[in-house]
Amino acid sequence: GYDDQVFGDNDQRYPTAELVIHNHSTWRDLVTGGSVGAAESYVAGDWSSPDLTALLRFFTRNLDTMNAFEDKFSWISKPALKALHWLNRNTPEGSRKNISAHYDLGNEFYQLWLDSAEMQYTCAYYEQADKTLEQAQLAKLEHVCRKLRLKPGMTVVEAGCGWGGLARYMARNYGVTVHAYNISREQLAYARAEAERQGLDNLVTYVEDDYRNIEGQYDAFVSIGMLEHVGKDNYPALSELIKHSLKPDGIALLHSIGRNRPMLMNAWIEKRIFPGAYPPSIGEFMELCEHSDFSVLDVENLRLHYAQTLSHWMDNFTANQDKVTEMYDEHFTRAWRLYLAGSIAAFRAGSLQLFQVVFTHGDNNQLPRSRQDLYTFPATPEGI
């Protein structure tokens, strides 16, 4: 029973978005709570939109204006948010708590909307826009292996292995031995069962331990989607760890969500979805490489690939949202719908990036002359 209000001049050259207010308290939440208040109000069912992604993309495209508004009017929430960032810092104990809060929700939940091939919860690689999620995720694994120049008999260490799909792919398709570290018990249980089922447990060892405790030297160091959980204060230590873990001719690849300039994670996402997360700018990424005198060989931005990945996840999530609600509750379902829609909007608007960075020791001269070998034949497997 509220009057319609239209903002802007309805110029058809620009996308439009619709916000439906169900409770007058929404306005109070916006003023006193900023983006966190607005998000919590959505989770409570106080507002909605027929196209949530379009609405959030509108706000994302006007991020500077929204931030200025929040700085001016949401002073009540600022001290609490600063305390939240500090409490969620990624100490060894804090990392285990932060990772468990997100990744130990239950494998059944993630199986509802991730790809069915290898349970990849990171950006896929769409060589062609019409590829399925399963095809694109396997193509991502292949793309990573090619960048690492893997050959049979090599040894690989993986920091933060998720459900173990990359480790199994490397062992199965390249004949390498992999030590994969993770601190999520739910993910490791799935990974170990899959490795045994596929007959790969002789090549893949899943280690329940923090990446900081990696030992030994390897031909390759890889981490897909873990750097966001490391925290900038820990970059020097991670850089030194990679330096000591890589053989003289070894190659490292880090794959991470990033930003165009340094900025804290959205406060609501840190509070409700990803505690302790911090996506680095490309400059901060390079500081990690510079710390140990690494030579950067390749930087690729897969931003639009992640927007498409998230769109596929959202389609799967929406198709299974009744099951999600049965497993948890409606507030949980709305929170995850908001998270996925906001992430799509951020990648499409360019406020989030996806960096793959390949680097090696500064004095390593055993390097390919070009990147031509990465593209000699499609990474996307046929027939799946």
Side-chain angles (χ1 to χ4, degrees), residues 183-244:
I183 54 176
S184 168
R185 292 180 179 177
E186 285 282 321
Q187 289 183 326
L188 283 175
Y190 179 96
R192 287 167 174 161
E194 275 297 295
E196 184 175 0
R197 185 184 70 82
Q198 297 180 29
L200 297 171
D201 45 342
N202 62 319
L203 291 175
V204 180
T205 301
Y206 293 108
V207 183
E208 185 179 343
D209 204 350
D210 192 280
Y211 73 91
R212 281 165 274 224
N213 296 323
I214 289 174
E215 296 180 344
Q217 281 198 319
Y218 303 84
D219 296 297
F221 184 107
V222 62
S223 182
I224 309 296
M226 189 198 76
L227 187 62
E228 303 94 317
H229 303 290
V230 168
K232 190 172 182 296
D233 291 344
N234 296 314
Y235 285 4
L238 174 60
S239 180
E240 291 171 13
L241 172 69
I242 297 172
K243 181 178 182 178
H244 294 127

Side-chain angles (χ1 to χ4, degrees), residues 136-180:
Q137 287 292 13
L138 289 174
K140 184 268 300 296
L141 301 181
E142 175 65 23
H143 198 47
V144 167
C145 290
R146 292 184 191 181
K147 287 184 176 183
L148 290 170
R149 267 71 186 197
L150 297 183
K151 294 181 178 60
M154 282 185 169
T155 57
V156 182
V157 64
E158 182 182 7
C161 66
W163 285 275
L166 175 60
R168 293 190 297 275
Y169 187 94
M170 291 189 290
R172 183 173 60 247
N173 293 282
Y174 283 84
V176 299
T177 300
V178 187
H179 279 73

Side-chain angles (χ1 to χ4, degrees), residues 63 98 103 208 252 331 360 363:
L63 192 60
N98 291 337
Y103 295 100
E208 185 179 343
H331 287 78
T360 186
D363 58 356

Side-chain angles (χ1 to χ4, degrees), residues 236-271:
L238 174 60
S239 180
E240 291 171 13
L241 172 69
I242 297 172
K243 181 178 182 178
H244 294 127
S245 299
L246 273 185
K247 293 180 180 179
D249 296 339
I251 293 178
L253 183 149
L254 298 183
H255 165 124
S256 173
I257 297 171
R259 294 191 182 276
N260 284 337
R261 64 180 188 270
M263 187 184 304
L264 291 175
M265 174 63 87
N266 173 274
W268 180 80
I269 290 180
E270 176 163 358
K271 180 181 180 181

